[in-house]
Amino acid sequence: MEGSGEFLLKESPSDGISSLAFSPVADSSSLLVSSWDKTVRLYDVDSNSLIGVHKANMPVLDCCFYDKSRAYSGGLDCKVICYDFSSSFEKVMGKHDDAVRCVEYCSEVGVIISGSWDKNVKVWDPRHQQPVITASNPERVYTMSCVDEKLIVGTASRKVLVWDLRNMNFPQQRRESSLKYQTRCIRCFPNKQGYVLSSIEGRVAVEYFDPSPEVQKMKYAFKCHRVKDSGNEIIHPVNAISFHSGYNTFATGGSDGFVNIWDGFNKKRLCQFHRYPTSISSLSFNANGTLLAIASSYLYEEDKDEPPAPDSIYIRRISDAECKPK
């Protein structure tokens, strides 16, 4: 226990934690976790208990909820898999030609979206085992986020594509990241005005969808997750972003082991939590913004002689003082 506002989740994965996802249902305490230990785990954080484990054939890189008991996942076996934790029933929706890096469920359109290192995004109707459409991207898919019908895809070579899920024949916008280094994570603002993008070089960009020059003037980028050590500045990747759905503020997690919460519209850092044992690999706010799940999981970015800290998931209770714009 790291103080009354935070606790460690029991029975965490035994290898790198690739993704955390709270249920999108208000007041739900269900948390999905995917891992390099070839599992997708379902937890109830209120009781701090492991509800079920889906065992895959290969490491799992992402997961998302479909409904209360069903989850979708993808990983190094190139498959998009639906698993029902209540019945232990597994269904393979389909495959990509390379690892599945991202999976998302868009409830507004009622589709599952998978993004792969094969450069394709596939849109699936949960009722069928064939993709509704396959959309090619210029490079390998590294990160995705959707809000209503909009899908934002971040790829290798710093490309960003904005798709409309109702018409995937061509992207609405083709962009290049305003950051100079590889994209690590993209997440959409809940108010649908834009998105936040992070890179491996300790920077975050706040971007807007509206292409008009007056709106584009509002975009900006800032440095973060940089640590001074013996007079040198050590720059860390920003691996994770999660939005507070009520306040449109967002948390970032870096390989420096820190979590910060930001007010993107007012260009302010609202708070910084204590340093966690190792890199922050994933973050997820719950639906009503009262809890933040934090994955502390070593990402093998440095050569270390001593063994890394164990892979851990912290559940932190979030107060308005930490996440409400001031």
Side-chain angles (χ1 to χ4, degrees):
M1 187 69 94
E2 298 285 335
S4 59
E6 184 175 279
F7 61 90
L8 264 173
L9 213 51
K10 295 174 184 171
E11 297 184 80
S12 60
S14 59
D15 203 346
I17 298 163
S18 54
S19 178
L20 304 173
F22 263 115
S23 166
V25 177
D27 299 322
S28 172
S29 59
S30 297
L31 178 73
L32 274 179
V33 178
S34 63
S35 169
W36 283 79
D37 73 356
K38 308 178 187 176
T39 66
V40 179
R41 295 163 187 252
L42 177 65
Y43 295 90
D44 177 66
V45 300
D46 277 356
S47 62
N48 196 352
S49 56
L50 180 64
I51 303 300
V53 180
H54 170 234
K55 291 181 176 159
N57 297 320
M58 298 278 278
V60 187
L61 301 183
D62 202 10
C63 58
C64 68
F65 276 98
Y66 174 59
D67 58 22
K68 192 166 71 172
S69 65
R70 284 178 290 178
Y72 282 82
S73 63
L76 295 188
D77 64 0
C78 311
K79 296 173 185 172
V80 178
I81 294 173
C82 178
Y83 185 75
D84 189 328
F85 283 92
S86 62
S87 65
S88 302
F89 179 70
E90 176 191 294
K91 180 169 76 171
V92 178
M93 291 297 293
K95 288 192 73 174
H96 280 265
D97 293 330
D98 205 336
V100 178
R101 178 62 188 87
C102 317
V103 288
E104 293 272 342
Y105 173 54
C106 177
S107 56
E108 289 80 8
V109 185
V111 293
I112 303 293
I113 311 128
S114 57
S116 167
W117 292 343
D118 69 5
K119 305 183 184 179
N120 288 324
V121 166
K122 294 191 179 189
V123 181
W124 310 83
D125 180 335
R127 296 165 297 183
H128 305 292
Q129 287 184 273
Q130 291 294 324
V132 178
I133 197 162
T134 299
S136 78
N137 290 266
E139 259 293 356
R140 288 155 293 162
V141 176
Y142 283 167
T143 180
M144 293 191 320
S145 182
C146 60
V147 58
D148 286 359
E149 73 284 348
K150 270 191 170 61
L151 172 71
I152 321 306
V153 179
T155 74
S157 301
R158 300 170 41 251
K159 306 293 186 207
V160 178
L161 294 97
V162 181
W163 296 88
D164 185 331
L165 287 166
R166 300 165 303 181
N167 178 12
M168 293 285 287
N169 294 320
F170 56 89
Q172 281 189 322
Q173 297 179 28
R174 294 175 186 267
R175 298 182 171 199
E176 193 164 273
S177 167
S178 56
L179 306 180
K180 292 177 184 172
Y181 292 86
Q182 185 189 102
T183 302
R184 187 51 67 89
C185 187
I186 289 177
R187 293 292 179 264
C188 294
F189 275 99
N191 67 7
K192 305 158 196 169
Q193 290 183 14
Y195 59 90
V196 171
L197 177 150
S198 70
S199 82
I200 60 168
E201 187 247 348
R203 281 180 202 263
V204 167
V206 176
E207 302 275 351
Y208 293 88
F209 292 129
D210 187 335
S212 65
E214 58 269 26
V215 173
Q216 287 302 306
K217 270 192 261 181
M218 295 162 57
K219 73 177 188 178
Y220 68 98
F222 60 93
K223 298 176 184 177
C224 53
H225 298 283
R226 296 168 177 229
V227 179
K228 284 202 163 52
D229 183 25
S230 306
N232 297 317
E233 186 176 57
I234 301 170
I235 299 169
H236 294 274
V238 185
N239 305 310
I241 303 166
S242 183
F243 268 95
H244 188 289
S245 59
Y247 294 140
N248 283 285
T249 51
F250 59 93
T252 60
S255 290
D256 57 350
F258 282 109
V259 176
N260 298 312
I261 297 186
W262 309 89
D263 177 356
F265 291 117
N266 293 311
K267 303 184 182 181
K268 282 183 184 172
R269 185 170 78 178
L270 298 174
C271 69
Q272 181 179 72
F273 303 155
H274 65 87
R275 195 171 197 169
Y276 290 87
T278 187
S279 311
I280 306 302
S281 62
S282 186
L283 295 168
S284 181
F285 274 108
N286 68 343
N288 56 12
T290 55
L291 298 173
L292 179 65
I294 300 163
S296 170
S297 190
Y298 185 54
L299 294 172
Y300 295 91
E301 284 152 343
E302 299 174 41
D303 291 328
K304 287 192 173 179
D305 296 330
E306 71 272 13
D311 302 288
S312 305
I313 301 161
Y314 294 83
I315 305 298
R316 186 178 179 98
R317 296 178 187 92
I318 301 295
S319 66
D320 271 6
E322 292 170 321
C323 64
K324 187 175 181 180
K326 292 180 172 61

